[in-house]
């Protein structure tokens, strides 16, 4: 019987040792899983904060742009009211018409009939037989031309 009790105690001790070893190895895995889950949760929270900051930025930008548009519209209305109140359109039209009539009487050219020549990016030739700047021999002496 003593042998049986010793065998049971030995089996119990071996079982406890095996259980402790398995428990410790699974605790390492569980601990790593908890750390990974904690890191994932921190990343989610950081991403959520970032999204909130982006939303807040664009909401404030939209509000500021709306205020800017309102101020621009107010300035535009102010300028239009001032122009209508301060400038007499009939006088300007009459003066413009008189200027056109004076130009017709003096023979001055107005409008599109006065065509200006655009500036050139090259010097025009004085003689049609003259070599242009794109000629291969331009700027070379007679000796250099003969060699070429």
């Amino acid at each position: 019987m003593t042998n049986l009790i010793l065998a049971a105690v030995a089996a119990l001790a071996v079982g406890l040792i095996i259980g402790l070893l398995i428990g410790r190895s699974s605790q390492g895995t569980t601990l790593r899983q908890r750390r990974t889950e904690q890191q994932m949760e921190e990343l989610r929270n950081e991403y959520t904060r970032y999204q909130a900051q982006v939303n807040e930025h664009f909401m404030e930008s939209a509000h500021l742009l709306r205020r800017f548009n309102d101020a621009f519209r107010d300035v535009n209305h102010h300028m239009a009211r001032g122009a209508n109140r301060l400038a007499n359109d009939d006088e300007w039209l009459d003066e413009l018409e008189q200027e056109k009539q004076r130009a017709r009487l003096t023979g001055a050219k107005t409008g599109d009939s006065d065509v200006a020549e655009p500036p050139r990016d090259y010097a025009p030739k004085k003689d049609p037989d003259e070599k242009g700047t794109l000629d291969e021999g331009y700027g070379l002496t007679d000796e250099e031309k003969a060699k070429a």
Side-chain angles (χ1 to χ4, degrees):
M1 184 100 150
T2 312
N3 286 337
L4 189 60
I5 292 176
L6 284 175
V9 170
L12 181 63
V14 170
L16 283 173
I17 292 172
I18 291 174
L20 285 173
L21 290 175
I22 291 174
R24 285 197 183 245
S25 67
S26 67
Q27 270 186 352
T29 305
T30 306
L31 187 60
R32 278 182 270 166
Q33 284 178 344
R34 276 193 238 139
R35 284 184 193 154
T36 305
E37 288 174 3
Q38 185 180 11
Q39 288 175 345
M40 285 177 53
E41 189 63 30
E42 288 174 3
L43 286 174
R44 280 190 194 117
N45 290 338
E46 185 177 335
Y47 180 69
T48 303
R49 280 193 306 271
Y50 176 74
Q51 281 183 324
Q53 288 175 347
V54 168
N55 287 338
E56 182 181 342
H57 167 76
F58 282 111
M59 293 292 286
E60 185 176 350
S61 297
H63 175 71
L64 292 172
L65 284 172
R66 190 175 315 115
R67 283 181 34 206
F68 175 76
N69 285 336
D70 292 342
F72 180 76
R73 185 177 49 246
D74 292 344
V75 168
N76 195 13
H77 287 311
H78 170 73
M79 295 300 289
R81 283 192 307 267
N84 285 337
R85 187 178 66 227
L86 299 174
N88 191 349
D89 291 339
D90 295 335
E91 290 177 12
W92 286 101
L93 291 174
D94 292 341
E95 188 175 328
L96 183 62
E97 188 61 36
Q98 288 175 2
E99 183 65 31
K100 284 182 182 178
Q101 287 177 359
R102 268 188 247 127
R104 282 188 207 133
L105 292 175
T106 59
K109 294 182 179 180
T110 60
D112 293 336
S113 63
D114 201 12
V115 178
E117 186 176 338
R120 297 181 182 166
D121 58 350
Y122 62 92
K125 296 180 189 179
K126 295 176 185 165
D127 181 23
D129 295 332
E130 185 181 3
K131 300 288 185 190
T133 56
L134 297 178
D135 187 67
E136 290 180 0
Y138 180 78
L140 298 176
T141 62
D142 292 334
E143 294 173 10
E144 292 172 336
K145 288 179 186 177
K147 289 180 185 177

